[in-house]
Amino acid sequence: MATNVEKGDIYFFYRPKVDVEKVQGLDDVQRLYMVLAPDDGDAARLFIVGKKRMPKITQGQPKSTAREWMMNDMTGKPKKIGEALAPLEYDTKTRGEQEQGEAIPVGEGRYAIFERDSSTRLAYRLSSPDKPGKAQQELGILAEASYIISVRNPAVDVPGFPESKPNYPKRLQEKFAEKRWIDIDDSKLLDYQSAQFLLIGAHDALDDEDVTISGKASLFKTLGLKSREWPTAALEAGKLTEPQMKPEAREPASDPSKGGERGGKAARHTSSAAGVAHALKGVDFPCGKADLIKQAKANQANDDVIKVLNEFPKRQYETMADVTRELERVS
């Protein structure tokens, strides 16, 4: 008998590599994202899936080799998650101005997290596309599937997993004791940035799962996105596609309380997203927290910007999009 932990909407996105003109396969993909939007909450979670692909589902018993890590990249209002998936424009020291295209929606459906047979399962069923195509095949996204899911103890090093660690409160940290992995008996374990999970492929059909997954997902409505602006070929027909939006349309506006135009002098000296982006002009990604602060000081950023950057956790930041998401979290 299964014990339900959580149900909600599940969405998949992939973000192509910078400067890729034609997405033809997995080699052209920078990241695979999974979004979980629980039914009983007002927040959603954005996860990065390791190796850009869901674990393989094998026949028979789950195999430890059919496994992959997943990490919480951001928890917040669903519309904030949507904004984090939008295109960005940023400067780098070695390559100049770079554009990071929007993440491409590639699947939506319903999911359930439940306890069964002394383990926790994450199961989902897609509602779009009707039939998985090449895009889903490249990313390992099936029409329906279930995975054994475990939470990594942040106090224990695990080879092959990111070094970032979540700031769990004492109540949750005590659940681990000396264990390397634990089941998800509390959905709060999913909520913390940098929380890491192990996924092991279990079943490619839900007929034998003692859980009901029903309902209709609403990706664009939930995340506050306009379907007419976003590429939908992968979501609707399973076709690999490329970003089509211009980052200028999503560029953060200057703080109206400070006066000045977008990107103008006033915006450069605030701790807003635009101000921090200007303070980090020339930074060479990927980089760490210390590199961000060093670059901001070199650009003569004011004390407010330095103060905000000092609140960032010590981890690696891959792009300006990572910095923007962290800024939203600490602001």
Side-chain angles (χ1 to χ4, degrees):
M1 183 69 179
T3 301
N4 184 64
V5 176
E6 177 179 285
K7 291 185 177 182
D9 284 359
I10 185 170
Y11 314 127
F12 294 97
F13 290 78
Y14 68 89
R15 196 185 290 275
K17 292 180 178 178
V18 176
D19 296 333
V20 166
E21 296 183 0
K22 181 75 172 177
V23 178
Q24 298 179 322
L26 193 63
D27 289 343
D28 299 318
V29 174
Q30 179 181 342
R31 279 186 176 171
L32 171 63
Y33 295 106
M34 177 197 296
V35 177
L36 299 182
D39 289 339
D40 57 356
D42 59 355
R45 314 178 190 101
L46 178 66
F47 296 95
I48 297 172
V49 179
K51 295 184 181 177
K52 308 174 294 186
R53 199 179 194 281
M54 297 297 291
K56 291 183 178 180
I57 304 291
T58 57
Q59 297 295 326
Q61 293 296 317
K63 295 182 179 180
S64 60
T65 54
R67 56 191 286 173
E68 194 49 77
W69 61 263
M70 180 175 79
M71 182 174 74
N72 181 315
D73 193 44
M74 177 183 179
T75 295
K77 297 290 186 181
K79 289 186 178 180
K80 288 293 184 182
I81 301 294
E83 291 173 3
L85 296 167
L88 287 173
E89 189 175 71
Y90 59 94
D91 292 316
T92 66
K93 184 184 300 182
T94 57
R95 302 184 66 186
E97 188 176 275
Q98 292 287 299
E99 292 185 0
Q100 181 74 45
E102 73 270 16
I104 310 296
V106 68
E108 66 174 340
R110 296 281 294 167
Y111 78 93
I113 297 175
F114 55 97
E115 294 182 89
R116 180 192 179 199
D117 297 337
S118 302
S119 65
T120 309
R121 305 291 181 99
L122 166 63
Y124 72 84
R125 178 178 285 119
L126 292 185
S127 55
S128 295
D130 295 331
K131 182 179 180 180
K134 182 178 180 179
Q136 290 75 31
Q137 292 168 7
E138 287 288 316
L139 301 167
I141 301 170
L142 305 179
E144 56 184 52
S146 71
Y147 305 88
I148 297 172
I149 181 171
S150 304
V151 192
R152 173 192 168 186
N153 184 345
V156 178
D157 291 333
V158 180
F161 276 66
E163 295 181 359
S164 303
K165 297 181 179 181
N167 185 24
Y168 279 136
K170 183 178 180 180
R171 178 183 71 83
L172 293 180
Q173 186 62 49
E174 288 178 344
K175 287 179 173 289
F176 293 93
E178 300 301 320
K179 297 178 180 177
R180 176 174 291 193
W181 309 99
I182 64 171
D183 296 333
I184 302 175
D185 62 352
D186 186 338
S187 62
K188 291 295 183 183
L189 288 163
L190 295 153
D191 289 342
Y192 289 80
Q193 187 179 40
S194 297
Q196 296 171 28
F197 309 87
L198 177 67
L199 296 176
I200 300 177
H203 299 285
D204 59 1
L206 305 183
D207 294 339
D208 61 345
E209 297 286 12
D210 189 16
V211 64
T212 301
I213 298 179
S214 60
K216 181 72 173 178
S218 182
L219 182 153
F220 293 103
K221 181 179 179 181
T222 301
L223 300 182
L225 308 178
K226 297 179 180 179
S227 58
R228 65 179 181 272
E229 294 181 353
W230 290 69
T232 58
L235 183 64
E236 296 173 352
K239 297 180 179 179
L240 287 166
T241 188
E242 300 77 38
Q244 64 184 28
M245 299 166 64
K246 290 295 183 181
E248 290 81 6
R250 298 277 175 170
E251 189 178 45
S254 61
D255 187 343
S257 67
K258 304 296 182 180
E261 299 177 350
R262 177 184 299 181
K265 184 176 180 180
R268 298 175 186 175
H269 297 287
T270 71
S271 56
S272 65
V276 170
H278 183 81
L280 296 177
K281 185 174 182 179
V283 69
D284 194 11
F285 288 105
C287 64
K289 171 183 174 179
D291 298 313
L292 295 177
I293 295 174
K294 181 179 179 180
Q295 188 65 42
K297 290 181 176 179
N299 289 336
Q300 299 182 332
N302 69 359
D303 292 341
D304 288 342
V305 170
I306 302 300
K307 182 178 179 181
V308 168
L309 293 176
N310 272 315
E311 295 179 17
F312 279 30
K314 290 183 178 180
R315 67 180 183 90
Q316 182 165 284
Y317 297 86
E318 300 289 341
T319 67
M320 185 59 71
D322 286 350
V323 174
T324 300
R325 286 194 290 271
E326 190 60 45
L327 177 64
E328 291 172 348
R329 190 187 71 83
V330 302
S331 299

